[in-house]
mmCIF file of all heavy atoms in Angstrom:
data_model
loop_
_atom_site.group_PDB
_atom_site.id
_atom_site.type_symbol
_atom_site.label_atom_id
_atom_site.label_comp_id
_atom_site.label_asym_id
_atom_site.label_seq_id
_atom_site.Cartn_x
_atom_site.Cartn_y
_atom_site.Cartn_z
ATOM 1 N N ALA A 1716 17.663 34.485 -90.588
ATOM 2 C CA ALA A 1716 18.974 34.738 -90.001
ATOM 3 C C ALA A 1716 19.668 33.422 -89.687
ATOM 4 O O ALA A 1716 19.028 32.445 -89.280
ATOM 5 C CB ALA A 1716 18.831 35.577 -88.731
ATOM 6 N N PRO A 1717 21.006 33.318 -89.884
ATOM 7 C CA PRO A 1717 21.715 32.066 -89.589
ATOM 8 C C PRO A 1717 21.715 31.787 -88.097
ATOM 9 O O PRO A 1717 21.812 32.707 -87.281
ATOM 10 C CB PRO A 1717 23.133 32.342 -90.110
ATOM 11 C CG PRO A 1717 23.267 33.819 -90.072
ATOM 12 C CD PRO A 1717 21.911 34.371 -90.370
ATOM 13 N N PRO A 1718 21.593 30.518 -87.719
ATOM 14 C CA PRO A 1718 21.592 30.190 -86.291
ATOM 15 C C PRO A 1718 22.970 30.421 -85.696
ATOM 16 O O PRO A 1718 23.991 30.326 -86.372
ATOM 17 C CB PRO A 1718 21.207 28.710 -86.270
ATOM 18 C CG PRO A 1718 21.621 28.192 -87.597
ATOM 19 C CD PRO A 1718 21.450 29.326 -88.557
ATOM 20 N N PRO A 1719 23.045 30.750 -84.431
ATOM 21 C CA PRO A 1719 24.353 30.974 -83.798
ATOM 22 C C PRO A 1719 25.132 29.670 -83.704
ATOM 23 O O PRO A 1719 24.548 28.590 -83.545
ATOM 24 C CB PRO A 1719 23.980 31.517 -82.415
ATOM 25 C CG PRO A 1719 22.600 31.004 -82.161
ATOM 26 C CD PRO A 1719 21.941 30.951 -83.499
ATOM 27 N N PRO A 1720 26.476 29.709 -83.837
ATOM 28 C CA PRO A 1720 27.273 28.485 -83.747
ATOM 29 C C PRO A 1720 27.210 27.881 -82.355
ATOM 30 O O PRO A 1720 27.157 28.577 -81.358
ATOM 31 C CB PRO A 1720 28.695 28.970 -84.092
ATOM 32 C CG PRO A 1720 28.679 30.427 -83.747
ATOM 33 C CD PRO A 1720 27.296 30.904 -84.047
ATOM 34 N N ALA A 1721 27.197 26.560 -82.318
ATOM 35 C CA ALA A 1721 27.133 25.853 -81.042
ATOM 36 C C ALA A 1721 28.466 25.961 -80.336
ATOM 37 O O ALA A 1721 29.523 26.068 -80.968
ATOM 38 C CB ALA A 1721 26.769 24.388 -81.266
ATOM 39 N N PRO A 1722 28.484 25.963 -79.007
ATOM 40 C CA PRO A 1722 29.754 26.028 -78.265
ATOM 41 C C PRO A 1722 30.603 24.796 -78.527
ATOM 42 O O PRO A 1722 30.113 23.663 -78.564
ATOM 43 C CB PRO A 1722 29.298 26.115 -76.808
ATOM 44 C CG PRO A 1722 27.899 25.599 -76.795
ATOM 45 C CD PRO A 1722 27.325 25.941 -78.121
ATOM 46 N N THR A 1723 31.929 25.005 -78.749
ATOM 47 C CA THR A 1723 32.841 23.911 -79.101
ATOM 48 C C THR A 1723 33.218 23.052 -77.915
ATOM 49 O O THR A 1723 33.646 21.924 -78.074
ATOM 50 C CB THR A 1723 34.111 24.503 -79.715
ATOM 51 O OG1 THR A 1723 34.680 25.426 -78.770
ATOM 52 C CG2 THR A 1723 33.794 25.253 -80.986
ATOM 53 N N ALA A 1724 33.057 23.580 -76.681
ATOM 54 C CA ALA A 1724 33.479 22.796 -75.518
ATOM 55 C C ALA A 1724 32.562 21.617 -75.277
ATOM 56 O O ALA A 1724 32.993 20.564 -74.798
ATOM 57 C CB ALA A 1724 33.515 23.683 -74.280
ATOM 58 N N ALA A 1725 31.275 21.755 -75.592
ATOM 59 C CA ALA A 1725 30.341 20.673 -75.325
ATOM 60 C C ALA A 1725 30.263 19.678 -76.462
ATOM 61 O O ALA A 1725 29.779 18.563 -76.287
ATOM 62 C CB ALA A 1725 28.942 21.238 -75.051
ATOM 63 N N THR A 1726 30.698 20.005 -77.677
ATOM 64 C CA THR A 1726 30.609 19.121 -78.839
ATOM 65 C C THR A 1726 31.987 18.583 -79.162
ATOM 66 O O THR A 1726 32.925 19.365 -79.346
ATOM 67 C CB THR A 1726 30.049 19.893 -80.052
ATOM 68 O OG1 THR A 1726 28.812 20.498 -79.661
ATOM 69 C CG2 THR A 1726 29.848 18.973 -81.229
ATOM 70 N N PRO A 1727 32.183 17.264 -79.224
ATOM 71 C CA PRO A 1727 33.509 16.706 -79.556
ATOM 72 C C PRO A 1727 33.871 17.011 -81.004
ATOM 73 O O PRO A 1727 33.025 17.062 -81.889
ATOM 74 C CB PRO A 1727 33.330 15.212 -79.324
ATOM 75 C CG PRO A 1727 31.877 14.973 -79.484
ATOM 76 C CD PRO A 1727 31.191 16.190 -78.978
ATOM 77 N N ALA A 1728 35.131 17.274 -81.212
ATOM 78 C CA ALA A 1728 35.615 17.587 -82.564
ATOM 79 C C ALA A 1728 35.607 16.331 -83.422
ATOM 80 O O ALA A 1728 35.995 15.250 -82.970
ATOM 81 C CB ALA A 1728 37.034 18.144 -82.497
ATOM 82 N N PRO A 1729 35.167 16.389 -84.652
ATOM 83 C CA PRO A 1729 35.169 15.205 -85.510
ATOM 84 C C PRO A 1729 36.590 14.831 -85.917
ATOM 85 O O PRO A 1729 37.546 15.568 -85.720
ATOM 86 C CB PRO A 1729 34.336 15.651 -86.720
ATOM 87 C CG PRO A 1729 34.458 17.137 -86.738
ATOM 88 C CD PRO A 1729 34.596 17.562 -85.317
ATOM 89 N N ALA A 1730 36.708 13.652 -86.495
ATOM 90 C CA ALA A 1730 38.025 13.128 -86.871
ATOM 91 C C ALA A 1730 38.593 13.842 -88.078
ATOM 92 O O ALA A 1730 39.788 13.799 -88.313
ATOM 93 C CB ALA A 1730 37.930 11.630 -87.161
ATOM 94 N N ARG A 1731 37.748 14.532 -88.860
ATOM 95 C CA ARG A 1731 38.237 15.235 -90.043
ATOM 96 C C ARG A 1731 37.866 16.702 -89.931
ATOM 97 O O ARG A 1731 37.066 17.087 -89.075
ATOM 98 C CB ARG A 1731 37.613 14.638 -91.312
ATOM 99 C CG ARG A 1731 36.098 14.619 -91.301
ATOM 100 C CD ARG A 1731 35.551 13.906 -92.503
ATOM 101 N NE ARG A 1731 34.101 13.881 -92.510
ATOM 102 C CZ ARG A 1731 33.337 14.870 -92.905
ATOM 103 N NH1 ARG A 1731 33.888 15.977 -93.336
ATOM 104 N NH2 ARG A 1731 32.025 14.762 -92.884
ATOM 105 N N PRO A 1732 38.403 17.575 -90.739
ATOM 106 C CA PRO A 1732 38.070 18.993 -90.651
ATOM 107 C C PRO A 1732 36.585 19.231 -90.805
ATOM 108 O O PRO A 1732 35.872 18.459 -91.453
ATOM 109 C CB PRO A 1732 38.864 19.622 -91.800
ATOM 110 C CG PRO A 1732 39.984 18.664 -92.044
ATOM 111 C CD PRO A 1732 39.453 17.304 -91.745
ATOM 112 N N LEU A 1733 36.121 20.351 -90.161
ATOM 113 C CA LEU A 1733 34.696 20.657 -90.202
ATOM 114 C C LEU A 1733 34.215 20.902 -91.619
ATOM 115 O O LEU A 1733 33.174 20.394 -92.037
ATOM 116 C CB LEU A 1733 34.416 21.892 -89.349
ATOM 117 C CG LEU A 1733 34.643 21.713 -87.837
ATOM 118 C CD1 LEU A 1733 34.427 23.039 -87.126
ATOM 119 C CD2 LEU A 1733 33.704 20.658 -87.293
ATOM 120 N N LEU A 1734 34.976 21.681 -92.367
ATOM 121 C CA LEU A 1734 34.598 22.010 -93.736
ATOM 122 C C LEU A 1734 35.813 21.814 -94.635
ATOM 123 O O LEU A 1734 36.953 22.086 -94.239
ATOM 124 C CB LEU A 1734 34.099 23.449 -93.848
ATOM 125 C CG LEU A 1734 32.789 23.773 -93.111
ATOM 126 C CD1 LEU A 1734 32.490 25.263 -93.197
ATOM 127 C CD2 LEU A 1734 31.641 22.963 -93.694
ATOM 128 N N ALA A 1735 35.539 21.377 -95.797
ATOM 129 C CA ALA A 1735 36.628 21.197 -96.750
ATOM 130 C C ALA A 1735 37.078 22.543 -97.271
ATOM 131 O O ALA A 1735 36.357 23.541 -97.214
ATOM 132 C CB ALA A 1735 36.174 20.304 -97.912
ATOM 133 N N ALA A 1736 38.290 22.585 -97.743
ATOM 134 C CA ALA A 1736 38.827 23.828 -98.290
ATOM 135 C C ALA A 1736 38.052 24.214 -99.532
ATOM 136 O O ALA A 1736 37.638 23.361 -100.317
ATOM 137 C CB ALA A 1736 40.311 23.643 -98.638
ATOM 138 N N PRO A 1737 37.806 25.474 -99.722
ATOM 139 C CA PRO A 1737 37.044 25.902 -100.899
ATOM 140 C C PRO A 1737 37.794 25.563 -102.177
ATOM 141 O O PRO A 1737 39.006 25.750 -102.275
ATOM 142 C CB PRO A 1737 36.887 27.402 -100.698
ATOM 143 C CG PRO A 1737 38.003 27.791 -99.788
ATOM 144 C CD PRO A 1737 38.256 26.611 -98.904
ATOM 145 N N SER A 1738 37.046 25.043 -103.142
ATOM 146 C CA SER A 1738 37.649 24.665 -104.414
ATOM 147 C C SER A 1738 37.964 25.887 -105.273
ATOM 148 O O SER A 1738 38.876 25.853 -106.082
ATOM 149 C CB SER A 1738 36.708 23.725 -105.178
ATOM 150 O OG SER A 1738 35.446 24.367 -105.360
ATOM 151 N N ALA A 1739 37.186 26.954 -105.103
ATOM 152 C CA ALA A 1739 37.389 28.161 -105.912
ATOM 153 C C ALA A 1739 37.900 29.271 -105.007
ATOM 154 O O ALA A 1739 37.586 29.321 -103.821
ATOM 155 C CB ALA A 1739 36.079 28.587 -106.583
ATOM 156 N N PRO A 1740 38.719 30.169 -105.533
ATOM 157 C CA PRO A 1740 39.210 31.275 -104.699
ATOM 158 C C PRO A 1740 38.071 32.217 -104.310
ATOM 159 O O PRO A 1740 37.063 32.326 -105.003
ATOM 160 C CB PRO A 1740 40.225 31.968 -105.605
ATOM 161 C CG PRO A 1740 39.788 31.607 -106.997
ATOM 162 C CD PRO A 1740 39.223 30.213 -106.910
ATOM 163 N N LEU A 1741 38.256 32.860 -103.165
ATOM 164 C CA LEU A 1741 37.241 33.780 -102.671
ATOM 165 C C LEU A 1741 37.192 35.025 -103.558
ATOM 166 O O LEU A 1741 38.227 35.490 -104.038
ATOM 167 C CB LEU A 1741 37.557 34.190 -101.232
ATOM 168 C CG LEU A 1741 37.494 33.061 -100.205
ATOM 169 C CD1 LEU A 1741 37.939 33.571 -98.848
ATOM 170 C CD2 LEU A 1741 36.092 32.478 -100.133
ATOM 171 N N PRO A 1742 36.022 35.591 -103.750
ATOM 172 C CA PRO A 1742 35.937 36.801 -104.581
ATOM 173 C C PRO A 1742 36.533 37.991 -103.840
ATOM 174 O O PRO A 1742 36.613 38.030 -102.615
ATOM 175 C CB PRO A 1742 34.430 36.981 -104.798
ATOM 176 C CG PRO A 1742 33.804 36.290 -103.632
ATOM 177 C CD PRO A 1742 34.709 35.139 -103.288
ATOM 178 N N GLU A 1743 36.971 38.927 -104.622
ATOM 179 C CA GLU A 1743 37.548 40.129 -104.039
ATOM 180 C C GLU A 1743 36.458 40.986 -103.393
ATOM 181 O O GLU A 1743 35.301 40.956 -103.801
ATOM 182 C CB GLU A 1743 38.269 40.947 -105.131
ATOM 183 C CG GLU A 1743 39.444 40.208 -105.763
ATOM 184 C CD GLU A 1743 40.138 41.066 -106.797
ATOM 185 O OE1 GLU A 1743 39.619 42.187 -107.045
ATOM 186 O OE2 GLU A 1743 41.146 40.621 -107.350
ATOM 187 N N ALA A 1744 36.862 41.704 -102.340
ATOM 188 C CA ALA A 1744 35.912 42.563 -101.631
ATOM 189 C C ALA A 1744 35.486 43.718 -102.540
ATOM 190 O O ALA A 1744 36.320 44.383 -103.150
ATOM 191 C CB ALA A 1744 36.543 43.119 -100.360
ATOM 192 N N ALA A 1745 34.192 43.893 -102.607
ATOM 193 C CA ALA A 1745 33.639 44.946 -103.467
ATOM 194 C C ALA A 1745 33.381 46.200 -102.637
ATOM 195 O O ALA A 1745 32.949 46.115 -101.484
ATOM 196 C CB ALA A 1745 32.333 44.479 -104.128
ATOM 197 N N THR A 1746 33.649 47.316 -103.215
ATOM 198 C CA THR A 1746 33.409 48.587 -102.528
ATOM 199 C C THR A 1746 31.930 48.914 -102.600
ATOM 200 O O THR A 1746 31.341 48.917 -103.687
ATOM 201 C CB THR A 1746 34.228 49.699 -103.195
ATOM 202 O OG1 THR A 1746 35.611 49.337 -103.183
ATOM 203 C CG2 THR A 1746 34.017 51.029 -102.454
#
Side-chain angles (χ1 to χ4, degrees):
T1723 57
T1726 306
R1731 55 186 180 81
L1733 293 176
L1734 294 174
S1738 57
L1741 295 175
E1743 297 182 356
T1746 303

